[in-house]
Amino acid sequence: MHNQKWLSLNFFAFFFTWGVFLPYWTGWLTNEKELSVSAASVIMGTGMVARSLSTLFFFPLLTRLFSLGRLMQLLAIASFIVMAIYIPANSYTLLFIITFAFSFIYPNLLPAMESGATVLMQTDRIHYGKSRSYGSLGYTIALLIVGAATAVWQEQAILWIMLAGLLLMAITQSLVSPVPLQSKPAPRTKKGPSATAELLKSKGFLTILLVSILLQGAHASYYNYGFIYLQDIGVNSFYIGLILNVAVIFEIVFFVKADTLFDKWSVSSMFLLAGIGSTLRWILIFLFPSVWVFILTQTLHAVSFGVAHFAFIRYIFQKLDPVNIPSAQGMYAALGMSLSVALLTFAGGYLYEIAPGYAFLGMAASSFPAVLLVLLTRKRLAY
C-alpha cells in the first residue's frame, strides 16, 4: 500500500474512535451510568491527566523500545481490550479506574500517528493535510453514526460503536506499515543530551508549545460539554450529531487545502489567526445561547483547532531534527492535547453547573493570552 494511502486509512480509523470518545463520553457517563456532570467531569479530567502523563513520559519510552509501526499495533489492541471492560462496569470506582487505564493507553496512538506522519513528510514528502483530512472524515462519520444510533437506541449505543471503531483500528494497524516506520530510531550516544533536554533549551519550541497548550486547552468545554449543552437547549440527539459535524466538515476542508492555502504563511501568523478565531468562538456561545449561534461558531473550528494544529506540525517539520520529533509530539500531546484540556475540564465542569455559558466563556481566558504571547514573541523569535 502506498504510504500516503496507509497514513490516510489509519488517520481515518483513529479519528473515528476519537469522534466517539471525545464528544460523547461525558454524555455516556451522565446518561447511561447516571453520574452527575461534576462527577463525570472528575473522571474525564483525571483521565486527561493520565493521558498527559502517559504521552509525556510513557510514549517517548515506548518509541525507544518499539518502532512506530509496531507501537501503533500494540496500542490499538490494548485499547480494545481495556474498552471491553466497560461492559460489566457500573460502580463509580470501577468506571474511574477503567477510564484512567484507557486514557493511559489509547491517547498514545495520536502522537505515534502524528510522529509517523511527520517522518513520512520528511522521507517521502507526503502531503500531511491530505491524509489528515481523512482523519476529520472519520470523525465526521462517527458523529453521524452516534447521533443516529443514540436517537434510536439511546446512549447505550455509544459504547458498542466505540468498541467497533477500536476493532476497525486494530485491523488497519495490522497492515504492513511504511518502511520508515518499521525501524526504531538510532540510539543516542550516552554523552549526548536527551531529545527532551534539547527541546527544553529551545526558546522557539517552548514558545510555540505554550501557545499550543493555551489554544488546544481552550477546547475543553466544547469537547466535554458540547453534547450536553445542546441537549440542555432542547436539541434532539440525532440533530446533535449533525450539528457537531459542522465543525468537522470545515476542518476537513481546511486540511485538504492547508498545504497550499498556508504555504507562504509564517507559523506565528497561523497561531495569531487561531487565537483570534478561538476567542471569538467561545465569547459568541456565551453571549448568545442559541442553537443557530452554536452552529455558526462551529465554522470557527477550522481556525481554533485546525490552524493551530497545522502551525505546530509545520514548525516541527521545518525546525526539528527527526530524532527529536517523537519527543516533541509527546510533549504536545501531553501538555497541549491532554493536561491543559484536563485542567480546563475540571474548571469547565464547575462553571457549567453555575451556568452552561460560563463554561465556554472560561475558555476565552485560555485562548486570548495565546494571542498576546504571539504578538510579544513573533519578531524576537522569528517563527
Side-chain angles (χ1 to χ4, degrees), residues 11-87:
F11 265 133
F12 178 92
F14 173 78
F15 280 98
F16 179 91
T17 61
W18 202 241
V20 180
F21 188 73
L22 203 60
Y24 287 111
W25 214 249
T26 302
W28 181 74
L29 289 171
T30 56
N31 288 285
E32 186 65 18
K33 297 300 181 179
E34 299 181 348
L35 300 181
S36 67
V37 173
S38 59
S41 70
V42 169
I43 288 181
M44 294 301 292
T46 305
M48 289 176 198
V49 172
R51 184 167 107 193
S52 72
L53 294 174
S54 178
T55 50
L56 184 60
F57 299 110
F58 190 49
F59 174 70
L61 173 63
L62 292 175
T63 59
R64 293 194 290 271
L65 299 175
F66 304 100
S67 67
L68 285 171
R70 181 61 174 163
L71 177 57
M72 286 186 273
Q73 292 176 352
L74 295 174
L75 289 171
I77 294 170
S79 298
F80 176 81
I81 293 171
V82 175
M83 176 58 61
I85 305 175
Y86 269 115
I87 296 174

Side-chain angles (χ1 to χ4, degrees), residues 200-276:
L200 291 176
K201 292 179 181 179
S202 170
K203 291 183 180 179
F205 176 76
L206 289 178
T207 300
I208 67 104
L209 180 62
L210 180 55
V211 171
S212 297
I213 288 170
L214 293 170
L215 292 178
Q216 297 299 349
H219 292 83
S221 287
Y222 171 69
Y223 291 151
N224 289 283
Y225 311 118
F227 175 63
I228 300 172
Y229 176 80
L230 290 171
Q231 283 185 323
D232 286 346
I233 60 176
V235 181
N236 180 274
S237 293
F238 175 75
Y239 294 110
I240 290 175
L242 295 177
I243 291 169
L244 294 177
N245 252 323
V246 172
V248 193
I249 291 170
F250 278 84
E251 182 183 311
I252 292 172
V253 173
F254 165 75
F255 279 121
V256 168
K257 299 293 184 180
D259 292 298
T260 53
L261 187 62
F262 288 88
D263 181 52
K264 299 186 183 301
W265 281 56
S266 67
V267 170
S268 61
S269 294
M270 286 189 280
F271 274 132
L272 193 59
L273 174 63
I276 294 171

